[in-house]
Amino acid sequence: MEIRAECLGGLTVYQFRRNDAFEFAGFIHAQARERNGELFFKSCPYCSPDPRTRDWNTFSINLETGQFKCLRASCGVSGNMLTLAKDFDFSLGNDVDEYYRPRRQFRRMKTPEKPIEPKPEAIRYLSGRGISMEVIRRYQVTVQTEHPDILVFPFLDGDGKMQFVKYRKTDFDRERDKNKEWCEAGCKPILFGMAQCEGTDRLVVTEGQIDSLSVATAGIGNAVSVPNGAKGFAWIPYCWDWINRFREVVVFGDYEKGRITLLEELSQRLKCTVRHVREEDYLDCKDANEILQRHGPGQVRKCVENAVMVPVRRVTDLADVEDVDIFNLQKLKTGISRLDRLLYGGLPFGGLVLISGKPGEGKSTLAGQILVNALEQGHRCFAYSGELPNYNFRAWMDFQIAGRSHVFEYRNQWGDRNYSVSKANREAIAGWYRGKCFLYDSGMLEGDEKESLTVTVEETIMKYGVDVILLDNLMTALDLEDVSAYDKYDRQSMFVKKLARLARKHNALVILVAHKRKNNFSSNENDEISGSMDISNLASVTIAYEKDRELEDGQRRLKVSKNRLFGKTCAEGYIMDFDEKSRRIYGTGDDPDHDFGWDKGGWIQLTEGMEIPF
């Protein structure tokens, strides 16, 4: 969020960051807490209300915009982070401080009454570097009288006043000399060549002074260079208004190690259009002066004239977007035929699928069954279960994989009906999913130790080739994530955004289980999910699985309230049945006895002690 300061005119160099608000609170030792996207202070730093008035929490900073306001009628102060920085002497960084705070007192340089006449030694050296006599005189480059081997570059501002002086040895020796270049102490840093610029059409910025002279020699006007090399940007606050008058800036930095110096910083900080010399136009040269000497002024002109636009980050031409048939995207069949038909083949990879429901109504069972189907289809899976011990999670999946024909029933000592899968079958099932299904092992953590769940998920994706991830559920998973936000809704949003980015980055399918609100009066299914609205907003598909008073005992209703890819939903839902023996969910058109193939090619044990061949 960019903040403008009307009193200063023009665009600013400050971009609001959330951390600035928190750092300001710490700077003034204020008690503050985050709520609904605002940072509320216990008391206003301006009016500091009397504790006896109990008029607390009236002052807040918006964490999106950086704007602040006190709601007390007797105060009503408002502004932005720049206002706070000025009023409380709070630093927003060196560049911002330089621009907005009272200016530093720089050394006053004496401006010559007449243009500086270059000395023969300067002309001889620069001519040897390909610089024309006319350019040497126009930029007033000379040498020291006492040391004719030291070039003198006078930096004159747009009004022709001397602000900065830089020196350069013409016979630099690494073993003998300490520095190749240096400048006068206490001078105001500005661009070399400002006084020689005319108009506001195009400005060419180089790293070195001899490079800007080379551009000027090639017949290109408005050539300037930075005062302190590729990493020094202290000049920006003092040239900000001047440089942003130009229609465009062409960055002609040094080309080193596959990158152009100055480009990244200037493209991010300048508000005018920024172009850069194409890498291929350097012709294996390092800078403008080397190009001038090896290939002549024509190639230097070509570099500037062929400069290309710096693309806007995260913006691409629509015509360059990959042409994909969305109906043939990779999908995971859920095993629920009507759901797969609605989604044109199943759950799409590269996105987040949300399964919601009230506690104890079967949403985790549905999610686990989808995981089993993923294993059958050859996918590698990762699961996190925040409510079940590892052995319980495995046992539940083993029932679903086995199917009711491989589950035997018995009565316990109280006469209650129990179910079991034989040890032999459990071993066969384990062999079927060994190396294909991985479970987050919370038992490995010691004490209050935490490890970012999203980091673990990404490592599992990259190391084990996992592409289907089940996180059950949001609230317990969030406890394992290291997020900086204080407000629970912001923490949820940040966590779910991380999951959505992981899914897109690795073309994975992330299934997230979340509770529904205990009390909700909205008619929108997506609004019923407990937590931040971003949870359902970021999902590709939202599925609700829950009880319904109109249904028989044991039946559930499965609804699809969001289908981002195709738009088709099913608000009325599908009636689903549940088989208690196998823990399988099925509906019209589904086979509750589907064979997942774990028992192929061998003996299976139906009940304890009884083996039969196929």
Side-chain angles (χ1 to χ4, degrees):
M1 176 66 186
E2 291 165 3
I3 295 177
R4 297 173 183 269
E6 297 177 2
C7 61
L8 294 171
L11 292 165
T12 73
V13 293
Y14 175 61
Q15 190 170 21
F16 174 69
R17 301 170 305 165
R18 284 170 52 94
N19 279 347
D20 290 340
F22 289 99
E23 289 175 5
F24 173 72
F27 177 76
I28 64 171
H29 305 291
Q31 292 182 329
R33 62 190 179 94
E34 184 178 351
R35 186 178 68 202
N36 299 329
E38 301 268 340
L39 185 64
F40 283 87
F41 288 57
K42 187 173 182 180
S43 61
C44 173
Y46 286 91
C47 62
S48 298
D50 188 326
R52 292 171 295 179
T53 66
R54 300 182 180 178
D55 197 5
W56 302 110
N57 302 319
T58 62
F59 179 92
S60 67
I61 301 175
N62 187 292
L63 295 175
E64 289 290 331
T65 66
Q67 301 291 320
F68 73 83
K69 184 175 179 62
C70 177
L71 299 177
R72 298 181 77 239
S74 60
C75 179
V77 66
S78 64
N80 54 43
M81 288 304 302
L82 299 174
T83 313
L84 296 173
K86 180 174 71 72
D87 292 347
F88 293 90
D89 198 29
F90 171 65
S91 174
L92 290 168
N94 291 336
D95 287 351
V96 180
D97 293 346
E98 291 282 2
Y99 194 84
Y100 294 107
R101 289 181 174 183
R103 301 301 180 93
R104 288 171 50 192
Q105 294 300 314
F106 291 109
R107 174 183 172 186
R108 289 191 177 185
M109 306 293 293
K110 183 178 179 180
T111 303
E113 295 180 0
K114 297 186 298 183
I116 299 171
E117 186 63 31
K119 291 183 170 63
E121 293 85 356
I123 295 173
R124 188 182 309 117
Y125 176 79
L126 292 173
S127 296
R129 299 286 296 264
I131 309 302
S132 71
M133 177 73 72
E134 186 274 329
V135 168
I136 298 172
R137 285 204 168 101
R138 180 151 56 93
Y139 281 78
Q140 305 180 45
V141 184
T142 188
V143 293
Q144 289 183 338
T145 302
E146 300 82 4
H147 304 284
D149 61 334
I150 298 177
L151 286 172
V152 180
F153 297 96
F155 286 60
L156 307 177
D157 64 19
D159 296 324
K161 295 180 179 180
M162 183 86 76
Q163 299 287 0
F164 190 89
V165 178
K166 187 172 181 180
Y167 304 99
R168 175 190 173 102
K169 286 190 68 68
T170 59
D171 60 347
F172 174 71
D173 187 308
R174 292 184 181 277
E175 296 183 0
R176 179 192 65 195
D177 299 316
K178 188 175 182 180
N179 295 312
K180 181 180 181 179
E181 296 180 332
W182 65 96
C183 61
E184 288 284 349
C187 296
K188 179 180 179 180
I190 64 170
L191 293 167
F192 173 71
M194 290 174 65
Q196 288 76 22
C197 292
E198 298 178 352
T200 58
D201 184 37
R202 178 179 63 193
L203 183 73
V204 181
V205 181
T206 69
E207 181 178 335
Q209 281 64 62
I210 295 179
D211 294 321
S212 59
L213 297 176
S214 301
V215 173
T217 296
I220 302 294
N222 296 348
V224 299
S225 50
V226 299
N228 294 313
K231 297 182 179 179
F233 293 95
W235 57 270
I236 286 185
Y238 306 102
C239 300
W240 180 259
D241 294 321
W242 182 85
I243 199 171
N244 278 293
R245 297 181 308 165
F246 288 88
R247 178 179 59 83
E248 67 176 24
V249 169
V250 174
V251 178
F252 201 156
D254 290 1
Y255 184 55
E256 301 176 301
K257 299 180 180 179
R259 60 183 294 271
I260 299 172
T261 61
L262 305 177
L263 178 58
E264 182 178 357
E265 188 82 14
L266 293 184
S267 63
Q268 292 178 4
R269 296 176 66 168
L270 297 183
K271 300 304 177 183
C272 49
T273 300
V274 177
R275 298 180 184 274
H276 66 89
V277 175
R278 300 186 307 171
E279 296 176 2
E280 57 266 33
D281 285 341
Y282 278 87
L283 299 180
D284 296 324
C285 295
K286 175 188 175 183
D287 52 36
N289 185 245
E290 187 177 350
I291 295 171
L292 176 68
Q293 293 186 72
R294 290 176 56 184
H295 302 287
Q299 182 60 32
V300 177
R301 287 195 297 272
K302 181 180 178 181
C303 286
V304 176
E305 299 299 337
N306 290 349
V308 294
M309 184 86 72
V310 175
V312 178
R313 293 182 64 194
R314 299 185 179 88
V315 174
T316 188
D317 192 312
L318 179 61
D320 295 331
V321 175
E322 184 182 4
D323 184 11
V324 174
D325 181 357
I326 61 173
F327 291 94
N328 289 318
L329 286 172
Q330 183 185 13
K331 300 184 183 72
L332 174 69
K333 293 181 179 179
T334 65
I336 299 173
S337 57
R338 287 185 293 180
L339 177 60
D340 290 339
R341 180 177 179 180
L342 179 74
L343 300 175
Y344 292 98
L347 304 176
F349 281 77
L352 175 73
V353 172
L354 188 63
I355 299 179
S356 67
K358 293 182 179 178
E361 295 193 356
K363 59 186 182 299
S364 298
T365 302
L366 174 65
Q369 185 170 316
I370 293 174
L371 206 67
V372 171
N373 278 271
L375 292 171
E376 184 194 30
Q377 295 166 52
H379 295 282
R380 291 190 174 189
C381 304
F382 171 83
Y384 161 78
S385 176
E387 297 182 347
L388 293 178
N390 292 348
Y391 63 84
N392 204 344
F393 182 87
R394 174 185 171 177
W396 202 266
M397 279 191 61
D398 284 353
F399 275 109
Q400 292 181 316
I401 294 170
R404 57 189 175 189
S405 61
H406 300 303
V407 175
F408 64 88
E409 177 184 325
Y410 65 94
R411 299 281 177 174
N412 62 21
Q413 57 182 319
W414 298 282
D416 298 326
R417 181 182 299 167
N418 283 9
Y419 302 101
S420 181
V421 177
S422 68
K423 181 178 180 181
N425 284 347
R426 292 198 305 272
E427 290 176 352
I429 290 170
W432 179 72
Y433 55 60
R434 183 173 297 281
K436 296 192 298 180
C437 191
F438 304 91
L439 186 63
Y440 184 88
D441 191 356
S442 57
M444 297 291 289
L445 300 179
E446 297 180 1
D448 294 330
E449 177 188 356
K450 284 188 178 181
E451 182 174 321
S452 171
L453 184 56
T454 53
V455 170
T456 301
V457 169
E458 187 161 28
E459 287 183 357
T460 308
I461 290 172
M462 294 187 294
K463 290 183 180 179
Y464 299 141
V466 162
D467 61 356
V468 178
I469 298 96
L470 166 61
L471 303 179
D472 184 10
N473 59 57
L474 171 64
M475 298 312 299
T476 56
L478 191 59
D479 289 337
L480 296 172
E481 192 62 20
D482 182 20
V483 289
S484 58
Y486 295 101
D487 182 82
K488 71 174 182 179
Y489 297 121
D490 285 344
R491 294 179 69 233
Q492 291 169 3
S493 296
M494 292 173 67
F495 177 56
V496 176
K497 284 175 183 176
K498 285 184 180 181
L499 295 177
R501 283 195 293 267
L502 273 178
R504 288 194 300 269
K505 178 180 177 181
H506 298 285
N507 193 38
L509 172 60
V510 177
I511 302 169
L512 178 64
V513 177
H515 292 311
K516 280 199 168 186
R517 299 182 192 276
K518 293 181 179 179
N519 298 302
N520 185 70
F521 303 99
S522 172
S523 59
N524 188 330
E525 275 296 327
N526 295 318
D527 290 344
E528 293 190 5
I529 298 163
S530 178
S532 168
M533 284 299 298
D534 284 340
I535 299 171
S536 56
N537 290 340
L538 291 164
S540 299
V541 177
T542 301
I543 299 170
Y545 186 76
E546 58 191 350
K547 290 181 178 180
D548 191 315
R549 293 179 181 178
E550 299 178 359
L551 303 180
E552 297 178 7
D553 187 35
Q555 289 184 322
R556 301 287 189 270
R557 195 177 296 276
L558 188 152
K559 302 178 184 178
V560 177
S561 57
K562 181 178 181 181
N563 179 4
R564 176 172 289 164
L565 210 55
F566 306 108
K568 291 178 66 177
T569 59
C570 183
E572 68 279 7
Y574 305 123
I575 298 174
M576 308 301 296
D577 289 297
F578 175 70
D579 178 63
E580 189 176 354
K581 288 183 68 175
S582 65
R583 276 67 162 173
R584 288 187 183 182
I585 296 167
Y586 61 95
T588 302
D590 301 331
D591 179 11
D593 295 313
H594 176 75
D595 183 359
F596 285 104
W598 58 272
D599 55 352
K600 299 297 183 185
W603 290 71
I604 60 171
Q605 193 169 17
L606 291 179
T607 60
E608 292 288 354
M610 184 179 77
E611 293 183 343
I612 60 172
F614 286 109

